[in-house]
Each structure stands twice: as structure tokens, then as C-alpha cells.
Amino acid sequence: MATACVTTAPPRLAEPAIRQLGPSFFRAVGPEPLPEPHWVAINDLLARELDLDKEWLASDEALELFSGNADGGDIQPLATVYSGHQFGVWAGQLGDGRALLIGQTPDGQQIQLKGSGRTPYSRGADGRAVLRSSIREYLCSAAMHGLGIPTTRALCIAGSPAPVYRERTETAAVTTRTAPSFIRFGHFEHFSYAGEHRELKTLADFVLDRFYPDCRASEQPYLALLQRVVRKTADLIASWQAAGFMHGVMNTDNMSILGLTLDYGPFQFMDAFDPAHICNHSDGLGRYAYQNQPGIAYWNLRALGHALLPLVPDAESMKRTVQTYEAAFAHAVGQRMAAKLGLAHASESGIQLVTDLLALMARERTDYTIFWHALTQHMAGSSAAPLHDLFVDRAALDAWLIRFETLAQQAGQAHSIARMQRANPAIVLRNHMAQEAIERAEAGDFSLVEELLLALQQPDRAPAGHPEWMRFPPDWAAAIQVSCSS
Ligand code: AMP
Ligand code: MG
């Protein structure tokens, strides 16, 4: 894809905003070059949103920049420092061990390379990312965005034949990610636990002024900040639960202060519905199982609240603020699940209906995405809808459908098929779909990555040329093991 032509218009990147906070927050470090870089994928939709020149993006200069092979010009790349709780245990200092901020766009999007080599925070690891995990992040972040779920984005992947050693020898890749900020709960924990309260305040002021400026009007701006993060996190987790998405590694260093889905690793979309499903092969105890995600987010918010203690009036007000999570989550998930039923609001009977449905689905191990899509088609009057084929206990389904149809009728105008269609996608990125794209890409064919990207950007449509993406996962999918190794 790279051409030898001279570039037209390289992006006007400025220093990443976090640089203004001073050297306590980052270390300047250049990327480590990769041999023989080549394009694996470019997200044209995001490139347009970022106002990147299409011709420039196809140039050698762009490939050099986004593979970490450019010297960076005027802007010095930097790695930020953070700490965090991993699997419930304080892990101490972590930091961007394989990620570098290389600039920000005129409208403030931070541009980050992931897998661009070692940094002062690599802790003995290689600073690299493999092609496999890079494709998973690239596709899943596009899928989440397509579903309307807040997330970091991925602009492109550059690959290289350079070997990277994981359970097997793989090859290296660099993903270019964008977000308004990559600041994590762990950034706050870092300065708080180190007793560096001046830096903690500097960081909180930065986040407040940039992202939550209305909190300044509050008598307690840092409590107001915490309150906003509680709300954003509750909304995020509600959207995950409704989509059947499991993150897999909800450590506090993977929690975004903006409520974005961040750091895609062993994630999975639910196949057969099992609330106890564990998607991360390294998570033996199931800390991050589907049904635990809401409670873990609460745990993480408590950790953030503790980190903010030096800035708030007292522990009681901090606790009260964090406790609002429970009601915020209940409301948010109620709304999301109501939307899946086509309802404008979550009523008590609507919530009971969802609870009973999920219990039935758990008993029957009903495919989560296929069920909701089939229910949507059933309500739209499609006779081809295979809804009943999904259940052994059809009498139980029929009894539930009668209750649902009654509720929908009573709701009148407040029930909408269009709402169901938006909330119940035709496709999600299942593990086996990513796996096929990865295996093809590892053999040098990137076409499936592109086709999946385009399909996932419009998840409410049946994917052109790939009816199989709407079907049950094949038997071999159950054997896919996804761990923290990336
Ligand atoms: P993760 O499990 O990907 O959220 O990463 C946890 C921490 O380990 C972060 O500080 C990462 O930057 C760091 N890390 C993960 N993989 C690598 C790697 N291959 N090289 C350097 N640091 C890494
Ligand atoms: Mg991480």
C-alpha cells in the first residue's frame, strides 16, 4: 500500500497535552525502529474523522511514523507513568511499558503508538505487541464504536516480520490508537499512593479543566469530578453488559477516567449466555467474569475514590459519592436493557421481564447476540425469524413472549422496532471471527481484517458476503484460549 511519492499533507500534530504537566508525569523516549514495516490495516472512516490526508496516509512517511520508525521531528514522544491494582492486588508502578504518545490533533485527540518498543516502564518486558493482539484491538475498538459504546479508537496497524516471543514465536505490529485522553484510574493511584499530593492535584486539575469543566462550579470540584467518573463508568459497564461484552482484565490501570473501553486484551462477546462466563484464560477465579463486571467497576471506583482522598473534604463524602454507583448502574443498565426490548424506559415489569429472560437464556445457554437479533425480527413480523429454534423449552419462551408482547402493546408509542434494531446488532466480533482474520493476516492476507472492519462499523446490517458472521460460532471456537499474553 505504501508508495514512494512525496507526502502531500502530513497531519498537524502538536505536543501531547499531558506534557504541560511536567516531568513527574512522563519520560520522553523515542520508539524502537522495526525492520521492514508494512501496512496491515487502515481505518479510513477514522482517518477522515481525524482529517488525515488520504494520500499522505498511503505514503512511506506515514508508514514510518506509525510503525515507530520516524525520528519524530519536532515532537518528542513520551510514555506516561501510572500504577494500579491488578486482580485486586496493589501492583505498584506500571506505566506505558509499550505505548508512546506521539502528538495530538488540532481538536485534541491524543495519538498513541502501542507496541513501539521499550520505555522506562517496560519492567523487563519487550515493549512489543504481536500482530494477533493488534488485530483484536483494532477490530474490537471499531466494533465497540459501531455499537455506540465509548472506546478508544484504532487508526491503523503497521506490521513487521520482526519476531516477538510469546507462548509461540509471533511477529510484531504497532497499532496507532486515538482518544481524547488515555488517563487511567491508575494515574491517580500512582501519585496518591506515592504521597505526591501536589502532582495528584495537578493531574486532577488537568482532567477537570479539559474534560469536566462544569465541575469547577461545584463547591467541591474534586468530589464533582469523582461523581462524573462514577456516572461515566456506570454507563460504560451498562453498555458492556447489554452488548454481552467482557473486557477480561478490569484492573484499575485499564480503567479510563473518561469512561472509555480501554486496553483490549482477552475480551470476548458472549456466545451461549452464561453469566459466569470467564473470557480470560489467565483469570482462573473468574474475578472478571461477565456477571462480576458491574461489581468490579464499583471496586475500581472505590480505589479511585481512595486515591482522591487527599483532595476531598473527608472520607465520608468520598464514600457517599462512590456509593451513587449502585443507583447509577441500575438506572443505566435498566435503560440499556429496556432499549433491547424496544422500550423507551425501564419499568419495574420491564426489568422483571429481562431478569426472567436472562434466567431462561442461562438455563438454555441461548446464543446472546442471535437471540436478541431474532427477537427483533420476530417483533418486526419476520416469519423467517428462527426465534423458537433457539430454545428447547419452547413453552417457557412462549410464556415469556406473551408477557413481552403485552408489555409492548401497553407501552404503545413508547415501544419501537427501530429502537430494538439499534440495540440488537446483527453481528458482534466473536473470538472465532477475529481468529480467522488473524490466521489469514499471519499468512500475509489482510483482506478479512478489512472486511470485518467494514461490517463491524455497521453492526445493525447483515454483513455483505458473510452470512456466517450472523450464525452460531463453529465448534472449534470453544477451544480458542485467549489470555493476557499480547
Ligand atoms: P496490560 O495487561 O496490557 O494492561 O499491561 C499491564 C502493564 O504491563 C502496563 O504497564 C503495560 O504497559 C505493561 N506491558 C504489557 N505488555 C508489555 C510488553 N510486551 N512490554 C512492556 N510492557 C508491557
Ligand atoms: Mg493495560
Side-chain angles (χ1 to χ4, degrees):
M1 231 184 274
T3 64
C5 69
V6 178
T7 64
T8 48
R12 288 175 294 128
L13 294 185
E15 297 277 6
I18 201 165
R19 173 176 276 279
Q20 74 199 46
L21 303 190
S24 307
F25 294 84
F26 61 84
R27 299 277 282 276
V29 50
E32 291 184 295
L34 272 178
E36 300 167 58
H38 58 261
W39 286 122
V40 172
I42 297 178
N43 182 335
D44 287 327
L45 181 72
L46 179 55
R48 277 199 301 279
E49 285 176 40
L50 294 170
D51 218 8
L52 290 177
D53 187 296
K54 208 175 153 103
E55 252 176 81
W56 176 81
L57 203 47
S59 71
D60 284 348
E61 188 182 296
L63 181 57
E64 294 281 293
L65 179 66
F66 294 133
S67 60
N69 283 2
D71 70 2
D74 300 341
I75 301 174
Q76 241 183 346
L78 48 93
T80 71
V81 64
Y82 55 82
S83 295
H85 283 85
Q86 298 189 318
F87 290 89
V89 178
W90 177 243
Q93 181 177 307
L94 303 165
D96 294 325
R98 53 173 170 172
L100 290 177
L101 289 171
I102 60 162
Q104 72 175 29
T105 63
D107 64 356
Q109 291 294 321
Q110 308 301 302
I111 311 282
Q112 188 180 64
L113 302 185
K114 179 171 178 180
S116 50
R118 274 164 300 187
T119 79
Y121 311 116
S122 298
R123 299 176 297 140
D126 59 10
R128 291 299 179 196
V130 295
L131 181 63
R132 164 180 53 87
S133 65
S134 305
I135 289 175
R136 283 175 55 86
E137 169 144 10
Y138 177 81
L139 289 178
C140 196
S141 54
M144 296 298 263
H145 184 70
L147 292 170
I149 299 177
T151 177
T152 63
R153 315 278 299 275
L155 173 65
C156 56
I157 305 175
S160 160
V164 177
Y165 305 100
R166 298 292 183 259
E167 278 88 356
R168 61 185 170 99
T169 304
E170 302 183 52
T171 58
V174 176
T175 304
T176 300
R177 307 195 289 191
T178 73
S181 173
F182 290 94
I183 294 177
R184 302 142 191 273
F185 291 9
H187 280 94
F188 290 87
E189 291 180 285
H190 178 76
F191 295 104
S192 187
Y193 282 70
E196 295 173 13
H197 295 168
R198 214 180 37 173
E199 284 78 5
L200 178 67
K201 182 173 179 307
T202 302
L203 182 66
D205 284 336
F206 176 77
V207 170
L208 258 175
D209 292 334
R210 246 179 119 74
F211 304 108
Y212 303 105
D214 48 315
C215 293
R216 281 281 177 217
S218 161
E219 265 174 43
Q220 296 296 341
Y222 305 110
L223 268 188
L225 168 67
L226 181 59
Q227 180 71 74
R228 294 293 297 278
V229 180
V230 165
R231 271 291 299 277
K232 290 241 175 201
T233 306
D235 286 344
L236 177 70
I237 307 303
S239 67
W240 287 1
Q241 298 306 104
F245 175 80
M246 293 159 276
H247 180 283
V249 206
M250 289 176 66
N251 295 332
T252 57
D253 54 299
N254 290 337
M255 297 292 291
S256 154
I257 203 70
L258 302 184
L260 307 174
T261 313
L262 172 63
D263 280 9
Y264 291 85
F267 68 81
Q268 190 185 349
F269 282 91
M270 188 73 82
D271 293 318
F273 186 65
D274 172 11
H277 186 72
I278 305 166
C279 65
N280 179 354
H281 193 64
S282 318
D283 181 16
L285 296 175
R287 179 179 173 85
Y288 300 136
Y290 173 80
Q291 65 192 1
N292 293 346
Q293 294 189 127
I296 290 293
Y298 193 15
W299 193 99
N300 290 342
L301 284 163
R302 279 197 290 267
L304 177 66
H306 276 283
L308 290 174
L309 270 180
L311 303 181
V312 302
D314 53 72
E316 262 321 299
S317 55
M318 180 280 282
K319 277 189 195 154
R320 271 199 309 276
T321 304
V322 173
Q323 278 164 3
T324 62
Y325 171 81
E326 283 185 294
F329 175 73
H331 175 76
V333 81
Q335 284 298 114
R336 291 271 177 173
M337 297 312 288
K340 291 179 86 66
L341 294 176
L343 297 164
H345 302 290
S347 62
E348 217 169 281
S349 46
I351 289 170
Q352 192 56 52
L353 210 54
V354 170
T355 307
D356 295 345
L357 172 66
L358 294 180
L360 174 62
M361 287 174 76
R363 232 173 29 242
E364 296 250 341
R365 292 287 188 264
T366 317
D367 187 278
Y368 192 75
T369 301
I370 291 178
F371 168 78
W372 285 107
H373 192 249
L375 181 68
T376 306
Q377 289 187 308
H378 173 82
M379 293 301 280
S382 162
S383 57
L387 192 57
H388 284 82
D389 298 351
L390 299 175
F391 290 83
V392 176
D393 188 352
R394 294 183 179 184
L397 173 68
D398 280 331
W400 183 86
L401 274 177
I402 288 169
R403 285 169 61 203
F404 173 42
E405 281 161 358
T406 309
L407 190 73
Q409 264 161 22
Q410 284 164 354
Q413 296 286 325
H415 183 267
S416 133
I417 300 290
R419 189 178 293 116
M420 287 187 84
Q421 283 162 341
R422 279 195 303 277
N424 299 315
I427 61 162
V428 292
L429 180 66
R430 299 183 194 252
N431 267 347
H432 75 277
M433 291 154 62
Q435 190 59 30
E436 280 189 26
I438 289 164
E439 283 171 20
R440 291 259 289 269
E442 286 176 340
D445 172 5
F446 308 125
S447 58
L448 206 51
V449 176
E450 174 72 7
E451 285 172 45
L452 266 175
L453 177 83
L454 297 177
L456 293 165
Q457 284 172 337
Q458 297 184 310
D460 50 342
R461 302 210 185 152
H466 288 284
E468 75 279 12
W469 289 343
M470 291 176 64
R471 297 195 194 119
F472 294 107
D475 288 343
W476 59 266
I480 299 173
Q481 290 186 349
V482 189
S483 69
C484 285
S485 152
S486 61

